């Protein structure tokens, strides 16, 4: 007898083509129980860009019955946590695609009014620190069932970390969340191995060697320090001495970026040891294809019919080409989560997904993004893999591109051409951030350098939707060096290429740069110099932000400790609200309400020469000019 199908009439997609989110949906699949229940702080979108769907589909492909509980209510009688009962193997918990505190609060620690991962952007659908809250509830209700934490929040808080919103150093999230294990990074491989080992009868307490896992162990398990086992400063020692936290971070970042996973890390935390097992190597092309080719509907679950999920709208017609990033930017968590080694999909897998996008009922012919964490790292990596295996560099591009790095853009150009040729595709755009320092790097190989010049031209003339966004981040060299970004002179070079191609093809496109204020190492004077530089380019900046410290980035460690983890040099950082506002105002030099305060500040800094460069004829304005109201 054919089982009943619950139809989503809008997209004509049966609800039983999704992983079940309710007992009714579970029974419609002919199941009476499940093996694994995943709790997520996000809405359930059955798409390759949403972690709960990826992990759920991966486990499903491995033969397990998986249910998803999206955005469970933690404030009522807890029926969402109880409805499937205890799964046969384990519960999985995740805060969602973002750290909950980044999701909830601005750089000024003000509560946000919306949530892009929630239907109709409604706020308040997840608690602060869902990893902790969900784990506590599940352990209280089902004390004998393993709870496995994952996702960005758990991954980036796997060791002692600075929490900007509480302004304090916190221990590994395992010390606060009663989970049995964290799986960090991209979790397809470790989650399937964990399921199989539990299914084979191993107890969760016996699984101590799973790659990409974090567990708590007794002192009796602590090995002798070696190249394979690095003993970090204890959490309490880091609380007493910020230098110890800075020293720890260098080891954490280096080992996170090793090609074959690096060493095991240990940190004593109140009598127990946090053990971080090494990462898996980057996925092979076959492995990443298998993940992206799973039977996703690429749609929100029918339970959200008639509601809009902003995060889905952003990626609805986009296609991700690869994972990983070897840029190593000081303020970014991508390499700590995905690793610096690139895992690239095959052209065949990419084209299959593009064809699937063209079949979506509201597709109008435009692919919004053919990209990745960085748009133009597809199929790139070290030529000599043995050299890569020995490397400890957190960035392959800073302070200069590694001579072992293959920067050939021809495979990516071929992907663009194939995508443009797919029936139903009118145009493909590149919405991800482009590393122009990568596409402009002179390798000395005539064929590669010619292809990379062609890449820049093709990008600008064929794949820009009116505005190309790039991220120079700052204009002052010593700040860019701490950021691990190239000199702003390279932006000038790219700007000239952009203008030339626009003239050549009769285009009227804009180059939109991103900038950050209050980054570690940046002073108020540096921001004044940024203002002068961007004024000379006739740029009225739009894409700007105040630096927000997030767990497990180099910049955050400098912000908290005051030291650069690799040199132990003291680094100035704007910390107070007044210091941050004093920097941020220079972004808006063109706004008349900011002019009096900027002029007053430049007199205070002893740089009246910059006043005339910003505001010609205003250098003699009185120092007592009243400052404007700050935004």
């Amino acid at each position: 007898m054919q089982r009943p199908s619950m139809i989503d009439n809008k997209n004509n997609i049966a609800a039983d083509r999704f992983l079940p989110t309710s007992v009714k949906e579970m029974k419609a699949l002919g199941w009476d129980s499940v093996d694994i229940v995943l709790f997520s702080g996000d809405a359930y979108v059955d798409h390759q860009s949403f972690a709960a769907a990826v992990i759920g589909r991966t486990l499903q492909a491995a033969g397990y019955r998986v249910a998803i509980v999206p955005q469970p209510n933690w404030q009522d009688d807890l029926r969402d946590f109880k409805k499937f009962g205890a799964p046969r193997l384990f519960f999985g918990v995740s805060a969602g695609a973002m750290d909950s505190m980044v999701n909830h609060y601005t750089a000024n620690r003000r509560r946000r009014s919306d949530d892009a991962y929630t239907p109709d952007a409604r706020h308040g659908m997840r608690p602060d620190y869902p990893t902790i809250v969900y784990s506590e509830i599940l352990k209280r209700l089902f004390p004998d069932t393993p709870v496995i934490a994952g996702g960005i929040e758990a991954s980036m808080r796997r060791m002692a970390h600075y929490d900007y919103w509480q302004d304090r150093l916190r221990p590994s999230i395992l010390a606060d969340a009663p989970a049995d294990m964290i799986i960090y990074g991209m979790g397809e491989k470790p989650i399937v191995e964990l399921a199989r080992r539990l299914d084979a009868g191993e107890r969760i307490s016996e699984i101590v060697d799973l790659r990409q896992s974090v567990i708590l162990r007794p002192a009796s398990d602590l090995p002798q320090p070696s190249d394979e086992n690095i003993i970090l400063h204890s959490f309490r020692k880091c609380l007493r001495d910020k230098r110890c936290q800075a020293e720890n971070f260098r080891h954490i970042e280096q080992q996170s970026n090793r090609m074959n996973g690096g060493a095991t890390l240990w940190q004593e935390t109140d009598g127990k040891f946090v053990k971080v097992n090494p990462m898996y190597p980057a996925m092979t092309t076959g492995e990443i294809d298998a993940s992206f080719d799973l039977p996703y509907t690429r749609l929100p679950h029918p339970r959200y019919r008639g509601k809009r999920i902003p995060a889905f709208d952003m990626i609805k017609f986009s296609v991700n080409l690869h994972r990983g990033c070897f840029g190593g930017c000081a303020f970014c968590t991508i390499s700590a989560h995905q690793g610096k080694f690139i895992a690239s999909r095959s052209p065949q897998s990419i084209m299959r997904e593009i064809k699937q996008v063209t079949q979506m009922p509201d597709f109008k012919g435009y692919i919004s993004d053919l990209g990745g964490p960085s748009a133009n790292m597809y199929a790139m990596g070290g030529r000599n893999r043995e050299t890569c295996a020995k490397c400890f560099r957190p960035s392959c591009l800073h302070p200069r591109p590694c001579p072992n790095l293959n920067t050939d853009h021809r495979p990516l150009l071929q992907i663009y051409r194939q995508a443009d040729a797919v029936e139903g595709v009118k145009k493909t755009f590149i919405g991800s951030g482009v590393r122009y320092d990568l596409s402009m790097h002179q390798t000395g190989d005539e064929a590669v350098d010619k292809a990379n010049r062609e890449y820049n031209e093709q990008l600008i003339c064929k794949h820009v939707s009116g505005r190309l966004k790039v991220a120079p981040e700052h204009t002052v060299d010593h700040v860019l060096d701490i950021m691990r970004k190239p000199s702003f002179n390279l932006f000038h070079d790219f700007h000239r290429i952009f203008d030339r191609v626009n003239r050549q093809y009769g285009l009227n496109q804009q180059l939109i740069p991103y900038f950050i204020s209050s980054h570690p190492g940046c002073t108020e004077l540096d921001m004044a110099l940024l203002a002068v530089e961007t004024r000379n380019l006739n740029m009225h900046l739009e894409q700007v932000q105040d630096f927000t410290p997030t767990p497990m980035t180099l910049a955050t460690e400098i912000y908290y400790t005051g030291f650069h983890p690799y040199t132990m040099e003291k680094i100035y950082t704007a910390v107070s609200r007044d210091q941050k506002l004093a920097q941020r105002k220079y972004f808006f030099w063109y706004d008349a309400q900011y002019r009096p305060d900027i002029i007053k500040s430049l007199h205070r800094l002893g740089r009246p020469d910059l006043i005339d460069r910003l505001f010609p004829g205003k250098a003699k304005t009185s120092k007592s000019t009243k400052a404007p109201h700050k935004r």
Side-chain angles (χ1 to χ4, degrees):
M1 179 178 175
Q2 188 175 12
R3 64 174 180 256
S5 180
M6 294 167 286
I7 297 293
D8 168 12
N9 292 320
K10 180 179 178 182
N11 291 294
N12 199 32
I13 298 290
D16 58 13
R17 281 192 52 195
F18 294 77
L19 298 171
T21 65
S22 67
V23 172
K24 180 180 178 182
E25 292 168 26
M26 178 187 75
K27 291 185 179 300
L29 294 170
W31 305 351
D32 56 5
S33 63
V34 294
D35 300 316
I36 298 150
V37 184
L38 303 177
F39 289 84
S40 174
D42 293 339
Y44 171 30
V45 180
D46 192 44
H47 188 284
Q48 298 93 327
S49 295
F50 290 79
V54 173
I55 296 301
R57 289 294 188 185
T58 298
L59 288 164
Q60 179 190 48
Y64 296 103
R65 294 178 174 181
V66 185
I68 292 181
V69 181
Q71 300 188 312
N73 190 332
W74 74 101
Q75 297 173 304
D76 62 1
D77 60 2
L78 306 181
R79 67 187 67 184
D80 286 340
F81 293 89
K82 300 173 184 176
K83 61 185 177 183
F84 287 107
R88 187 171 65 88
L89 295 178
F90 64 85
F91 290 111
V93 299
S94 170
M98 296 174 65
D99 184 279
S100 63
M101 304 307 280
V102 178
N103 181 284
H104 284 169
Y105 298 94
T106 69
N108 289 325
R109 299 187 176 97
R110 293 177 180 170
R111 187 83 178 185
R112 299 186 192 275
S113 59
D114 57 2
D115 183 340
Y117 291 88
T118 297
D120 292 337
R122 181 181 172 187
H123 69 90
M125 294 297 287
R126 76 186 89 207
D128 290 351
Y129 309 108
T131 305
I132 298 173
V133 175
Y134 296 170
S135 298
E136 287 177 338
I137 292 170
L138 289 169
K139 274 298 181 184
R140 189 165 70 247
L141 294 174
F142 306 99
D144 298 326
T145 303
V147 173
I148 312 302
I152 287 286
E153 181 168 277
S155 184
M156 296 299 97
R157 295 171 182 266
R158 60 187 182 260
M159 305 296 283
H161 58 279
Y162 173 67
D163 188 298
Y164 172 69
W165 297 272
Q166 293 191 345
D167 191 24
R168 68 181 178 97
L169 192 70
R170 294 185 63 140
S172 165
I173 199 167
L174 265 187
D176 292 322
D180 296 277
M181 177 184 289
I182 291 171
I183 286 182
Y184 69 94
M186 307 305 285
E188 292 104 317
K189 293 174 76 171
I191 201 72
V192 170
E193 183 179 345
L194 175 65
R196 286 176 175 159
R197 291 176 68 169
L198 290 171
D199 201 13
E202 285 190 66
R203 296 173 62 85
I204 189 67
S205 60
E206 299 169 341
I207 302 176
V208 299
D209 59 347
L210 177 65
R211 273 186 175 255
Q212 233 164 286
S213 69
V214 186
I215 52 177
L216 288 176
R217 301 305 298 160
S220 57
D221 277 12
L222 186 68
Q224 290 297 312
S226 66
D227 290 343
E228 287 75 38
N229 288 281
I230 296 174
I231 316 301
L232 302 176
H233 296 298
S234 72
F235 171 63
R236 293 294 166 185
K237 192 172 182 181
C238 291
L239 279 177
R240 293 192 299 268
D241 186 351
K242 291 182 178 181
R243 285 176 177 266
C244 292
Q245 175 67 14
E247 290 173 357
N248 278 358
F249 178 79
R250 178 171 61 85
H251 290 297
I252 294 168
E253 183 177 50
Q254 286 179 337
Q255 299 307 318
S256 295
N257 285 309
R258 298 296 301 277
M259 188 175 83
N260 293 314
T264 299
L265 300 177
W266 300 78
Q267 183 178 37
E268 192 271 325
T269 304
D270 295 336
K272 290 188 176 182
F273 281 83
V274 176
K275 181 187 181 187
V276 181
N277 288 309
M279 291 185 79
Y280 277 94
M283 281 181 159
T284 65
T285 293
E287 288 170 337
I288 195 170
D289 279 359
S291 178
F292 276 83
D293 290 348
L294 291 169
Y296 303 98
T297 64
R298 298 188 98 259
L299 293 168
H301 189 277
R303 65 192 285 147
Y304 308 121
R305 190 181 298 113
K307 296 180 180 179
R308 176 177 164 267
I309 300 173
F312 170 68
D313 289 346
M314 288 179 63
I315 54 85
K316 188 175 184 179
F317 303 126
S318 69
V319 176
N320 190 12
L321 309 183
H322 67 272
R323 289 181 184 165
C325 179
F326 50 72
C329 296
F331 45 82
C332 182
T333 62
I334 291 172
S335 65
H337 191 70
Q338 296 191 11
K340 75 174 183 180
F341 292 92
I342 305 302
S344 298
R345 299 170 65 186
S346 68
Q348 294 82 5
S349 174
I350 293 167
M351 296 311 135
R352 281 194 292 271
E353 186 179 352
I354 290 174
K355 289 173 184 176
Q356 189 179 5
V357 173
T358 66
Q359 300 305 307
M360 297 177 73
D362 46 354
F363 180 68
K364 305 298 182 185
Y366 300 97
I367 301 291
S368 61
D369 185 24
L370 285 176
S374 289
N376 54 322
M377 291 185 181
Y378 177 78
M380 293 185 185
R383 295 184 184 88
N384 185 332
R385 303 295 281 180
E386 291 182 5
T387 300
C388 291
K390 300 173 185 175
C391 182
F392 282 84
R393 283 180 58 171
S395 171
C396 301
L397 294 177
H398 182 271
R400 60 193 61 84
C402 175
N404 187 43
L405 180 64
N406 168 26
T407 64
D408 190 348
H409 283 65
R410 281 176 290 188
L412 185 55
L413 280 169
Q414 185 62 23
I415 292 292
Y416 291 175
R417 294 187 186 106
Q418 290 181 13
D420 287 342
V422 171
E423 184 179 356
V425 173
K426 296 177 182 176
K427 195 161 187 175
T428 57
F429 297 113
I430 312 306
S432 304
V434 174
R435 290 296 301 241
Y436 53 79
D437 52 337
L438 187 57
S439 63
M440 295 175 67
H441 174 57
Q442 297 297 306
T443 67
D445 183 318
E446 184 177 345
V448 171
D449 292 344
K450 179 181 178 183
N452 294 356
R453 289 193 297 272
E454 181 186 357
Y455 174 82
N456 285 326
E457 183 166 316
Q458 292 297 305
L459 168 73
I460 295 165
C461 74
K462 290 188 175 181
H463 301 286
V464 175
S465 180
R467 310 171 91 194
L468 177 62
K469 296 177 181 179
V470 293
E473 309 295 5
H474 214 283
T475 63
V476 178
D477 280 347
H478 76 88
V479 180
L480 289 165
D481 186 56
I482 293 172
M483 289 178 162
R484 295 180 180 153
K485 298 288 286 188
S487 170
F488 195 66
N489 291 332
L490 205 59
F491 175 81
H492 284 289
D493 294 341
F494 186 74
H495 200 311
R496 284 189 284 272
I497 294 171
F498 186 83
D499 288 346
R500 175 184 61 77
V501 173
N502 271 272
R503 288 193 302 271
Q504 181 179 342
Y505 290 91
L507 303 171
N508 184 27
Q509 300 177 142
Q510 289 181 285
L511 189 62
I512 307 297
Y514 284 81
F515 290 100
I516 298 176
S517 62
S518 300
H519 190 276
C522 179
T523 66
E524 186 179 346
L525 179 57
D526 294 328
M527 289 301 299
L529 294 171
L530 181 150
V532 170
E533 187 81 35
T534 54
R535 186 196 187 284
N536 291 341
L537 290 168
N538 194 31
M539 288 181 170
H540 290 191
L541 301 181
E542 303 173 17
Q543 302 294 332
V544 298
Q545 67 179 47
D546 189 39
F547 169 67
T548 304
T550 56
M552 204 176 283
T553 68
L554 173 67
T556 297
E557 299 301 325
I558 297 173
Y559 176 96
Y560 169 67
T561 68
F563 299 98
H564 195 297
Y566 286 80
T567 65
M568 297 312 292
E569 173 191 3
K570 281 194 169 184
I571 304 291
Y572 168 79
T573 304
V575 173
S576 72
R577 183 174 183 274
D578 287 344
Q579 289 171 334
K580 288 171 174 284
L581 289 174
Q583 292 201 20
R584 183 176 174 80
K585 69 190 176 191
Y586 290 97
F587 284 142
F588 310 108
W589 59 266
Y590 54 85
D591 189 330
Q593 71 168 324
Y594 286 91
R595 183 184 301 171
D597 194 25
I598 289 174
I599 290 172
K600 182 179 178 181
S601 294
L602 289 174
H603 278 299
R604 173 174 50 81
L605 294 170
R607 293 300 302 267
D609 58 304
L610 297 182
I611 299 174
D612 196 49
R613 293 172 67 183
L614 273 178
F615 315 112
K618 303 291 184 181
K620 295 182 181 180
T621 300
S622 170
K623 297 181 185 180
S624 62
T625 304
K626 185 177 179 182
H629 173 70
K630 292 183 176 66
R631 288 181 179 173

